[in-house]
Amino acid sequence: VRMVTGDNVHTACAIARQCGILTDGVALEGPRFRAMTPREVDEVLPRLQVLARSSPEDKYLLVTRLNGHGLPSTRAEWEDKHPGFSWEKDRDNLLPGYREEWLPPRP
C-alpha cells in the first residue's frame, strides 16, 4: 500500500504512520520523484510508502513504472512523449522510461 497525496511531506507522513502505511519505508516529495531517472525510481519503488506534494503527472509516472502500462514501445513513441530530447542521450534519464528498459528487471 502506498499513500499518494498533495499534502506536504510532514502531514502526509503523520497520516501515513497513523494509518499503518508508513512503517520503515521511504517518503518522497513529487519534485524529487519527478527528477529521478527510471532506474532510480525502480530502486526506490519497493520501499516507497509515501509520495507527498504529488501532481497528477507524478501519479501517472508512479503507476506506469509499477505496471508498465503506457510505456513507449518504440523510439518514435518515446520521442512523441519527450519532444526536444534526444533518444540517444536522454532515454535512460527521463520518466516514465520505455518498455525495453522496463522489462529486464521484472520477473
Side-chain angles (χ1 to χ4, degrees), residues 76-89:
E77 287 178 9
W78 186 93
E79 288 173 340
D80 283 346
K81 284 188 180 274
H82 302 290
F85 289 95
S86 164
W87 166 260
E88 296 301 324
K89 290 177 14 183

Side-chain angles (χ1 to χ4, degrees), residues 9 12-13 17 22 25-29 44 47-52:
V9 71
C13 287
R17 277 189 202 93
L22 182 59
V26 173
L28 290 175
E29 289 188 315
V44 78
R47 299 179 323 279
L48 181 64
Q49 293 179 329
V50 175
L51 185 56

Side-chain angles (χ1 to χ4, degrees), residues 3 11 24-26 31 40 47 63 66 73 82 93 103-105 107:
M3 179 178 177
T11 301
D24 60 349
V26 173
E40 291 169 333
R47 299 179 323 279
V63 171
L66 286 168
S73 296
H82 302 290
N93 297 320
L103 288 172

Side-chain angles (χ1 to χ4, degrees), residues 2 8-9 19 21 23 27 30 33 47 53 55-56 60 74 76 78 81 85 90 96-97 99 103:
R2 291 175 174 88
N8 73 61
V9 71
C19 297
I21 296 169
T23 54
F33 178 76
R47 299 179 323 279
R53 289 284 185 219
S55 68
Y60 169 79
T74 66
W78 186 93
K81 284 188 180 274
F85 289 95
D90 301 314
R99 178 145 316 271
L103 288 172

